[in-house]
């Protein structure tokens, strides 16, 4: 990973082990599926080439090597009403999405399995969004939101779609995940 505040590696692991060993009274004891991965909010936005280039991107760029602060600047440049388009925010990370589908209360074909998710998110709007969406889908979210400190934010994946060609460029801000 490049840049960005990090959480102590032992903290999420220890909290996850404790949560699995001692599930809360509100959780579904006896999970059929335990999922653990990065916690991300996917933000989809469709933009014209001028806006994409102005943000410093090329169509189809691989921006994985960029510093975290540069990725955040791209995100802040492209997301929002200033471009006239509407952005779509969805819970993300393939593992959380799998848990939502398997749980039985998602918009997809449900399988009805008792599922839980272990992932780190920050106590910010995006972290609250992830926990709310997981719980609405019937997924037990096991870790508390991490206190916001030092500029940390919940992980986000910006999916920028070129209005003309429909090509995608992904900008992933991992946050503490």
């Amino acid at each position: 990973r490049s840049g960005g505040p990090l959480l102590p590696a032992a903290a999420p692991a220890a909290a996850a082990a404790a949560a699995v060993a001692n599930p809360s009274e509100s959780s579904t004891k006896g999970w059929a599926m335990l999922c653990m991965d990065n916690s991300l909010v996917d933000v989809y936005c469709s933009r014209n080439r001028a806006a994409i280039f102005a943000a410093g991107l090329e169509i189809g760029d691989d921006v994985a090597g960029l510093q975290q602060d540069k990725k955040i600047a791209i995100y802040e440049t492209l997301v929002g009403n200033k471009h006239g388009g509407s952005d779509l925010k969805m819970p993300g990370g393939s593992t959380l999405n799998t848990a939502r589908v398997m749980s039985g209360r998602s918009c997809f074909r449900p399988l009805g399995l008792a599922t839980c998710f272990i992932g780190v998110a920050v106590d910010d709007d995006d972290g609250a969004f992830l926990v709310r969406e997981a719980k609405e889908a019937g997924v037990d979210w096991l870790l508390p939101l991490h206190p916001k400190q030092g500029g940390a934010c919940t992980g986000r994946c910006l999916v920028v779609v070129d209005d003309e060609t429909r090509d995608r460029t992904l900008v992933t801000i991992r946050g503490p995940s």
Side-chain angles (χ1 to χ4, degrees), residues 1 13 27 39 41 50 52 60 66 81-82 105 109-110 113 125 133 149-152:
R1 288 184 17 157
S27 70
S39 307
V41 172
I52 295 169
L66 284 181
N81 294 331
K82 58 190 166 277
R105 285 188 259 159
R109 183 178 178 158
L113 296 177
D125 290 343
E133 291 292 316
Q149 59 189 24

Side-chain angles (χ1 to χ4, degrees), residues 111-127:
L111 296 178
L113 296 177
T115 61
C116 65
F117 180 78
I118 299 171
V120 178
V122 172
D123 190 4
D124 58 12
D125 290 343
D126 286 334

Side-chain angles (χ1 to χ4, degrees), residues 129-144:
F129 170 77
L130 283 176
V131 172
R132 183 177 60 253
E133 291 292 316
K135 287 182 176 181
E136 284 178 7
V139 176
D140 286 334
W141 185 284
L142 295 187
L143 296 182

